[in-house]
Amino acid sequence: MVILLVDDDVGVQFFVWRLLKANGFTVLTAGDGIAALEASRNYPGSIDLMLSDVEMPRMGGLELCK
């Protein structure tokens, strides 16, 4: 399963990334919605789940979902 993790807090992003990786998930990371869109476009496979912060600079999670 591939998860796109989007959070502007590097500490939170690392903690969640480590937890997901330890449980066997492939994890793509991004620091905001714009970077997440780019990561999803550049990833050659499909992304099964996105976990996103709501409030982030440049583009928040709600806008990203739209």
Side-chain angles (χ1 to χ4, degrees):
M1 177 178 266
V2 178
I3 299 173
L4 176 56
L5 172 62
V6 189
D7 199 306
D8 61 321
D9 184 318
V10 177
V12 171
Q13 189 183 99
F14 179 71
F15 174 77
V16 176
W17 173 84
R18 188 173 52 182
L19 181 67
L20 293 170
K21 291 289 280 186
N23 284 283
F25 296 102
T26 299
V27 184
L28 308 174
T29 59
D32 60 42
I34 293 172
L37 288 175
E38 186 172 327
S40 67
R41 287 185 190 120
N42 292 332
Y43 186 71
S46 62
I47 297 171
D48 301 298
L49 176 71
M50 182 180 71
L51 296 176
S52 179
D53 188 359
V54 175
E55 296 283 327
M56 293 180 288
R58 299 192 327 155
M59 180 187 290
L62 295 176
E63 188 178 352
L64 173 61
C65 287
K66 291 177 184 177

